[in-house]
Amino acid sequence: MRLLVGIVALGSVAEAAQYLVSDLSFGFGARINPDGRNTIPYYSMQGNPNVPELLSNKVILTPPAPGNQRGAVWADKPLEHRAWTTDIDFRANGPERGSGLLNIWLAKDGARNIGSQSIYTVGKFEGLVLVVNQHGGSAGMIRGFLNDGTLDYSKRDNVDNLAFGHCWFAYRNLGRPSQIKLRHNSQNFKVEVDGRLCFESDKIHIPTGYNFGLSAASAENPDSFEVFKVVVLSEDDIGAVPNQQQQQQQQQQQQQQQQQQQSGENQKPLGGTTHGRSGQAAIQDPYDNAIPDAEANSITSSKAQFEDLHTRIQSLNHHLSSIFRSVAQYGGIADQNHQEVSVMLGEMKGLLTKLDRFASVENKLENLEREVRSMRSELTARLKESEHSIKYHVTDKHEDLAGHVVKHAAPGHTKLYLAIVGSQVVLAAAYFLYKRRKAGGPKKYL
């Protein structure tokens, strides 16, 4: 199924057309899962240890917690167009030192050969991958890698050296989705980030038959990667219906210009050309191809009158259809914004509930602090009372003990003194008697 979107090809006067490849796209309507199921039409989800979470407006490849998660989504059908443009809207949120990476794949049999792997863990693959991470400790970078299926990335010592293009890209915690646009045609391959050129090459030509996919991996301190949209537009005219209305308008414009030149009127030609770099495209304003007014005398036959009326009715019908499509598109965008606001309000309510819990815990801590202070004061008072009581009893007993010692020590010392003196007197008397007896005995002569 393809939806026609008119554009003006840069560097060319002729108008080109792009077709929405709905089998390879999601997120362009009001809901990603129109039937409300946990599946994406024409896509399959993989994850380790858990499958990505699917909401009505986004796919959460890696959640905010826990860390070390892997998630991926892969298109079931391959890309069969040579000229195409792919828009990817995603958002990355995480703590200040959070880490993770997003991989945008266009590879052969990616769901089976790659799955939820990243550029650092994948083995052999055939195709293209864009890697978004904080390479080298930077605020963010996007890099491109190619492989023809012969190189095993898991066995390379330094995979980063294999990148063929890169640019700086600060993508974390912006509060809004970021857009990565891939353009491929016969002239070159180009990568744009948020409307500015990232890198391009005229030597890269990607064959058909590859599958689109996105995989993300988070670290221990995780980043959460959310994908809002993957839209694939084809510039090929395979299955396109020729725009007869446009051919009729061009023929009538040429007739009007010829008539104006003949009448000497210089009128500015309709339909502008936007100049720029090759390969870029701008969405056409549906009101720029308004049919100019014609003089009544220029319509000279009923056939010309019928053709003019027929052309103007068809133009009016197309303008009304454009208005209805715009209104429907804006309605879908409004619904998506409403859902995002509802999710944000829910998160804010959760935060407010946590704040209320914190306030309750804070009150309990204050009460506990007051109780601890009261217990401390009471314990200090009791310790002081115990100290005074102990001092009182110790002082009283000490005085009593000193009095008893003084009272009972005096008699004991007197007796001791008397015993010592008496013993000395006895010894002296004995010595005196001994001398006296020795002097009064018979004398011996030799």
Side-chain angles (χ1 to χ4, degrees):
M1 178 180 179
R2 299 182 178 88
L3 300 178
L4 180 61
V5 181
I7 65 168
V8 177
L10 301 181
S12 173
V13 178
E15 295 182 353
Q18 283 190 331
Y19 302 88
L20 174 65
V21 186
S22 59
D23 294 350
L24 304 178
S25 305
F26 65 84
F28 56 88
R31 297 176 61 93
I32 293 179
N33 51 345
D35 54 2
R37 300 179 181 178
N38 192 33
T39 57
I40 304 175
Y42 307 109
Y43 270 79
S44 59
M45 296 188 296
Q46 303 179 22
N48 185 15
N50 300 315
V51 177
E53 182 181 1
L54 176 61
L55 302 180
S56 61
N57 66 329
K58 62 183 177 181
V59 183
I60 303 176
L61 296 179
T62 56
N68 297 321
Q69 301 287 313
R70 293 181 180 273
V73 292
W74 283 95
D76 297 333
K77 297 182 179 180
L79 177 63
E80 300 294 350
H81 304 273
R82 298 187 180 277
W84 47 265
T85 300
T86 301
D87 293 337
I88 300 170
D89 290 0
F90 77 98
R91 182 171 62 190
N93 299 313
E96 181 179 357
R97 298 185 180 277
S99 179
L101 76 162
L102 175 69
N103 306 269
I104 302 173
W105 302 90
L106 180 57
K108 185 176 181 180
D109 295 332
R112 180 171 58 89
N113 296 332
I114 299 173
S116 59
Q117 299 295 322
S118 70
I119 187 63
Y120 297 106
T121 59
V122 70
K124 296 180 180 181
F125 70 95
E126 181 179 344
L128 164 77
V129 58
L130 300 182
V131 180
V132 180
N133 66 347
Q134 303 175 72
H135 174 63
S138 63
M141 180 181 289
I142 179 170
R143 294 169 295 156
F145 297 85
L146 290 170
N147 194 357
D148 59 359
T150 60
L151 185 62
D152 192 341
Y153 271 52
S154 62
K155 297 181 179 179
R156 299 287 297 188
D157 295 334
N158 194 344
V159 175
D160 299 323
N161 292 336
L162 302 177
F164 68 87
H166 73 277
C167 70
W168 303 109
F169 177 32
Y171 62 93
R172 299 181 69 249
N173 298 326
L174 299 180
R176 59 166 177 82
S178 300
Q179 184 182 79
I180 297 179
K181 186 186 294 291
L182 292 76
R183 299 181 186 272
H184 178 268
N185 52 38
S186 59
Q187 284 77 30
N188 67 350
F189 172 75
K190 182 180 300 185
V191 176
E192 299 175 2
V193 176
D194 287 338
R196 62 180 179 86
L197 178 65
C198 178
F199 59 85
E200 63 178 342
S201 174
D202 57 357
K203 298 180 180 179
I204 297 176
H205 300 285
I206 302 174
T208 60
Y210 291 171
N211 297 82
F212 274 112
L214 295 96
S215 67
S218 61
E220 183 71 25
N221 198 15
D223 273 351
S224 175
F225 286 94
E226 306 168 342
V227 179
F228 295 88
K229 181 181 70 173
V230 175
V231 174
V232 181
L233 302 175
S234 171
E235 297 180 5
D236 297 341
D237 58 354
I238 301 176
V241 179
N243 193 345
Q244 299 178 356
Q245 169 68 20
Q246 182 180 1
Q247 296 176 359
Q248 293 177 0
Q249 291 180 3
Q250 292 178 355
Q251 292 177 0
Q252 186 166 0
Q253 289 175 9
Q254 293 176 0
Q255 293 177 0
Q256 294 292 335
Q257 291 175 3
Q258 292 177 359
Q259 293 177 358
Q260 291 171 1
Q261 290 176 359
Q262 292 176 359
S263 61
E265 296 178 358
N266 295 326
Q267 184 176 359
K268 184 179 178 180
L270 293 176
T273 301
T274 305
H275 298 280
R277 299 178 61 125
S278 175
Q280 293 180 334
I283 300 300
Q284 178 189 5
D285 186 353
Y287 303 103
D288 283 346
N289 58 352
I291 301 175
D293 295 335
E295 297 292 338
N297 56 7
S298 64
I299 304 175
T300 57
S301 64
S302 58
K303 181 179 179 181
Q305 183 179 6
F306 175 78
E307 290 179 353
D308 180 73
L309 181 61
H310 174 73
T311 302
R312 293 182 183 277
I313 292 176
Q314 282 189 339
S315 177
L316 178 61
N317 184 31
H318 285 290
H319 282 81
L320 291 175
S321 299
S322 300
I323 293 173
F324 289 147
R325 285 196 298 269
S326 299
V327 171
Q329 181 181 3
Y330 294 145
I333 295 174
D335 292 339
Q336 181 177 353
N337 294 335
H338 174 71
Q339 292 173 1
E340 292 181 357
V341 171
S342 299
V343 172
M344 294 176 64
L345 289 176
E347 294 176 354
M348 291 180 64
K349 289 180 180 179
L351 292 175
L352 291 176
T353 303
K354 292 182 180 179
L355 290 176
D356 293 338
R357 294 178 181 175
F358 290 154
S360 176
V361 172
E362 185 177 1
N363 293 333
K364 292 181 179 179
L365 290 176
E366 291 178 355
N367 295 332
L368 181 60
E369 184 179 2
R370 286 194 294 267
E371 292 180 1
V372 171
R373 288 180 178 177
S374 176
M375 292 176 61
R376 180 181 177 183
S377 301
E378 183 178 357
L379 182 61
T380 302
R382 290 186 178 182
L383 287 175
K384 288 183 178 179
E385 293 178 359
S386 300
E387 182 182 1
H388 292 316
S389 178
I390 292 172
K391 284 183 178 180
Y392 172 76
H393 289 291
V394 170
T395 303
D396 187 27
K397 297 297 181 181
H398 184 269
E399 292 177 353
D400 294 343
L401 180 63
H404 286 295
V405 170
V406 172
K407 182 178 179 180
H408 296 286
H413 291 169
T414 303
K415 291 179 180 180
L416 179 63
Y417 294 155
L418 291 175
I420 294 173
V421 172
S423 63
Q424 294 294 330
V425 171
V426 171
L427 290 174
Y431 182 75
F432 179 76
L433 290 176
Y434 171 74
K435 287 292 186 180
R436 186 176 179 180
R437 287 179 181 180
K438 188 177 181 180
K443 298 182 181 180
K444 296 180 179 181
Y445 299 94
L446 296 175

